[in-house]
Amino acid sequence: MKQITRRNIIKSSLVGTGIASISAPAVAQNTIKWKMVTTWPKNFPGLGTGAQRIADTITSMSEGKLNVKLYSAGELVPPFECFDAVRQGTAQMSHGASYYWINKNRSTPFFATVPGGLTAQEHDAWIHFGGGQELWDELYSEFNLKGFLAGNSGVQMGGWFKKEINSLKDFKGLKMRMPGLGAEVINRMGATAVALPGGEIMPALQSGAIDATEWVGPYNDLAFGFYKAAKNYYGPGFHEPGTHTECIVNKKEFDSLPLHLRHIVEHACVSENNRMLAEFTKGNSVSQKKLIEDHNVKI
């Protein structure tokens, strides 16, 4: 039996310390930490919660090997700077809508929605089986990005207006929050489209900076409280017949992941793409009834 001496105790402790110092970096190297920025307020129904589910799913499915921390709009970067944040590597991924990046390339709205365009199911079919993903990859690769479908709100509402709209003439001189190609349509109708992230819409509507706004539908619109500033609610909207949200990832970072982690990122997005549409369908039904019965909103 080995004699216990002070020298042996010290020697053992040094060996233990050495092992710890060797193994600790190895553990750290096995954990990849990503930041996800979003264009949505924190935990906002459907959109913010959907983004959080993607982050949580990736972290859980990878057993913590790819740990994704979510930052809501403004926490790390302003909402309309998410595209550049991922492109430049400030964050590794983002959740938003591609029509916000129309100033980067005029084609980006096609991967979210276009006026009079595809429904949610049709858009899914185009991206996954009709060559849409290949076109998307070609476009976003120019920016060191890769995009994935990551949610859908379904058919959106036409918007909230302080005054009734009875003809196209009523759009003349109107200031309305609307993004993407829908903005181009109302500009040609004589209105002025204003680009605002979600969190800035209600103050603009209350102050008179805008006369009308579209956002998504009853589920989200009730949460923002638009009925307090405008009582005239129109739908369905011509501008967004099935709006997809996206997850964009830094292509260099994505390509450097092991294959199984790349599959996890992709499948987390696909899963949320289905789940979010279901959440909006249920949420819109319940919320529309509340808007009519509890807040006297005219649709």
Side-chain angles (χ1 to χ4, degrees):
M1 182 175 178
K2 188 175 181 179
Q3 184 177 3
I4 298 175
T5 66
R6 182 172 179 272
R7 174 176 288 184
N8 288 337
I9 292 173
I10 294 173
K11 185 177 180 181
S12 297
S13 65
L14 289 173
V15 171
T17 303
I19 292 172
S21 65
I22 292 169
S23 61
V27 172
Q29 287 175 3
N30 288 334
T31 301
I32 301 169
K33 293 185 178 181
W34 273 18
K35 298 173 184 174
M36 176 197 280
V37 291
T38 75
T39 60
W40 325 117
K42 194 172 187 66
N43 293 323
F44 194 70
L47 300 172
T49 54
Q52 185 66 64
R53 281 193 293 260
I54 293 173
D56 293 343
T57 298
I58 293 170
T59 302
S60 176
M61 287 181 68
S62 68
E63 297 183 328
K65 296 293 191 299
L66 179 54
N67 192 300
V68 181
K69 182 176 181 180
L70 183 141
Y71 295 85
S72 60
E75 282 191 319
L76 190 62
V77 298
F80 285 168
E81 292 183 18
C82 289
F83 186 94
D84 284 335
V86 178
R87 177 186 178 187
Q88 296 163 1
T90 303
Q92 289 73 36
M93 64 191 309
S94 167
H95 194 269
S98 66
Y99 54 30
Y100 289 150
W101 324 129
I102 193 171
N103 63 321
K104 304 295 183 183
N105 187 289
R106 303 288 288 176
S107 301
T108 60
F110 283 90
F111 304 101
T113 189
V114 298
L118 304 177
T119 64
Q121 295 91 333
E122 291 167 340
H123 198 259
D124 275 343
W126 175 58
I127 291 293
H128 293 305
F129 296 102
Q133 186 69 55
E134 289 76 12
L135 289 173
W136 201 2
D137 289 344
E138 181 181 343
L139 172 62
Y140 271 24
S141 65
E142 297 178 14
F143 301 96
N144 184 36
L145 297 171
K146 181 170 177 59
F148 297 102
L149 295 184
N152 196 297
S153 62
V155 180
Q156 296 202 1
M157 290 291 279
W160 297 82
F161 296 77
K162 290 185 175 181
K163 296 180 180 179
E164 286 189 14
I165 300 296
N166 296 306
S167 72
L168 292 178
K169 293 179 180 178
D170 293 327
F171 276 88
K172 298 288 185 182
L174 199 72
K175 291 175 292 184
M176 182 175 184
R177 184 270 175 194
M178 187 179 285
L181 295 176
E184 301 231 353
V185 175
I186 66 163
N187 281 338
R188 296 184 190 191
M189 289 163 58
T192 299
V194 180
L196 291 172
E200 297 179 18
I201 298 175
M202 187 59 173
L205 198 60
Q206 290 175 316
S207 69
I210 56 175
D211 308 304
T213 185
E214 64 79 43
W215 176 238
V216 178
Y219 186 41
N220 276 181
D221 296 355
L222 176 63
F224 267 145
F226 292 145
Y227 63 87
K228 298 175 185 176
K231 290 291 185 182
N232 300 292
Y233 196 26
Y234 292 87
F238 72 91
H239 60 299
E240 299 191 36
T243 309
H244 266 106
T245 60
E246 65 174 5
C247 238
I248 52 177
V249 297
N250 182 286
K251 190 174 185 302
K252 185 177 179 181
E253 294 272 4
F254 180 75
D255 290 345
S256 70
L257 291 175
L259 182 60
H260 73 287
L261 292 183
R262 276 180 271 156
H263 283 319
I264 285 173
V265 171
E266 181 177 1
H267 285 285
C269 294
V270 171
S271 173
E272 184 53 40
N273 194 50
N274 294 326
R275 186 182 296 268
M276 187 182 292
L277 181 60
E279 182 178 352
F280 268 106
T281 302
K282 171 65 185 305
N284 283 334
S285 178
V286 174
S287 299
Q288 180 170 303
K289 186 176 180 181
K290 288 183 179 179
L291 286 169
I292 296 170
E293 296 180 357
D294 298 346
H295 303 294
N296 302 312
V297 171
K298 292 197 301 179
I299 298 181

